[in-house]
Amino acid sequence: MVDRIIALDLIITTGIGFISAYSILYNQPTLLDVAMILALIAFLGTVAFTYYIQQKNKP
Amino acid sequence: MTDLIVGVLALFGTLFVFFAAVGMLRMRDTYLRISVTTKAATLGIGLLLVGSAVHSYELAITAKVFAIILFLFLTAPVSAHLVGRTSYFSGVKLWKNSVMDDMKGKYNPETEELGSGLEDEPENSDSKK
Amino acid sequence: MKNRFLSNILLTFIWVALTGDFTLSNFFFGFLLSFFVLKMVISGESRAKYFRIAPKVVAFIFYFFKELVKANLQVAFEVMTPRFQMTPGIVGFPLEASSDIEISILANLISLTPGTLSLDVSDDRKVLYVHSMYIKDRESFIAGLKNGFEKRLLEILR
């Protein structure tokens, strides 16, 4: 279960990498806004899922 | 010249992200996966973003890129710490070749307290300096 | 300390406005110039702390990036070679830092260098539990962290 959270985090991080590489390749720096929003969302998702696991393991 | 710098930065960033992805598959337990993936990916993303800032040489883009990098470097250790802490307390085992586990027996799940092992037997604690 | 930093920033803005060149490199040059001007002009007891600490902050940032790149290369080598040579484990690291800000900055820095991951702080704030990939023995690992990150961080923050 915890491994999936790490994998989700890595997928979103790879997405940010894709977006920045795309913005270099096609010279569209507007797309970096999307990368910023993705970085925000990834942190929120990780915190939410770990909170869920913590609550589930409580006796 | 600028193209060369951008190419080198983007190449190394992509390589680090690739290493993180391979490490996700190859590492043997959760803690090794956390410590390989989050940080290698963070450095890789940082290099890629610096590359895109060098490519479009503008003040607005550079400020945006530095905001993203600052945010990543602030949140990556916090989320790694959260995931590692949760996985230890929910009973994820260490790899079988692990050398030591100082945290074993220090956590009390009823009271949710984590002791340090230094308070009652000061002469027994070999982890002291 | 804070006043010195603010007057340094103010002198930098005056320099940038007077030269009329709003670029990043000019900003850095103005900062360095006003730093040295302040260092020459101000004398007395209150001068000591800021001028002692500011070069240490810059040196610490460079030291941190050096450690980051070095440890990343080590981890990349470990990932790409077929046989594992790592000796992972969890070590209780006795903290010398005591206040909230010192402990949190130290834990974040330890987490950011690959191979080590700070798991939790004990409730009485004496021990930080660190998971590391390469542990030869407990004493040398603890001594490495204590002489590297913690000593430099406490020099800056105290």
Side-chain angles (χ1 to χ4, degrees), chain B residues 19 26 28 31-32 39-40 43 77 81 84-85 88-89 98-102 106 113-116 119 126-127, chain C residues 72 76 79-82 84 87-92 94 111-112 118-120 122-124 129 131 133 138-139:
Chain B
F19 288 150
R26 283 201 66 208
R28 296 303 165 85
Y31 308 102
L32 292 172
K39 273 85 71 173
L43 183 64
H81 157 76
R85 183 177 183 277
Y88 194 89
F89 290 159
S98 299
V99 194
M100 60 184 73
D101 185 1
D102 278 1
K106 302 278 171 56
E113 278 174 351
L114 181 68
S116 65
E119 56 272 285
D126 49 355
S127 66
Chain C
N72 253 314
V79 165
M80 294 315 283
T81 47
F84 289 121
T87 52
I90 296 180
V91 173
S111 283
L112 260 181
S118 61
L119 284 179
D120 207 350
S122 68
D123 283 342
D124 53 0
Y129 291 101
H131 178 275
M133 278 173 73
R138 183 181 276 128
E139 278 72 30

Side-chain angles (χ1 to χ4, degrees), chain A:
Chain A
M1 185 69 198
V2 184
D3 287 340
R4 295 180 196 183
I5 301 175
I6 311 166
L8 179 74
D9 209 25
L10 186 65
I11 287 172
I12 298 179
T13 317
T14 320
I16 302 173
F18 263 114
I19 290 172
S20 57
Y22 190 90
S23 79
I24 293 176
L25 194 58
Y26 291 102
N27 203 4
Q28 285 175 334
T30 322
L31 288 177
L32 287 177
D33 287 335
V34 185
M36 196 192 298
I37 301 297
L38 264 184
L40 289 161
I41 298 281
F43 178 63
L44 281 187
T46 312
V47 171
F49 275 120
T50 48
Y51 185 72
Y52 164 67
I53 289 182
Q54 262 179 357
Q55 297 298 315
K56 200 183 80 175
N57 281 322
K58 241 175 210 170

Side-chain angles (χ1 to χ4, degrees), chain B residues 4-57:
Chain B
L4 188 69
I5 296 174
V6 172
V8 169
L9 283 173
L11 175 68
F12 276 99
T14 321
L15 267 181
F16 277 122
V17 177
F18 174 68
F19 288 150
V22 175
M24 182 78 206
L25 282 176
R26 283 201 66 208
M27 287 294 146
R28 296 303 165 85
D29 68 358
T30 306
Y31 308 102
L32 292 172
R33 282 196 187 113
I34 298 170
S35 59
V36 166
T37 55
T38 47
K39 273 85 71 173
T42 308
L43 183 64
I45 295 299
L47 287 178
L48 265 172
L49 284 171
V50 169
S52 91
V54 173
H55 177 71
S56 66
Y57 191 69

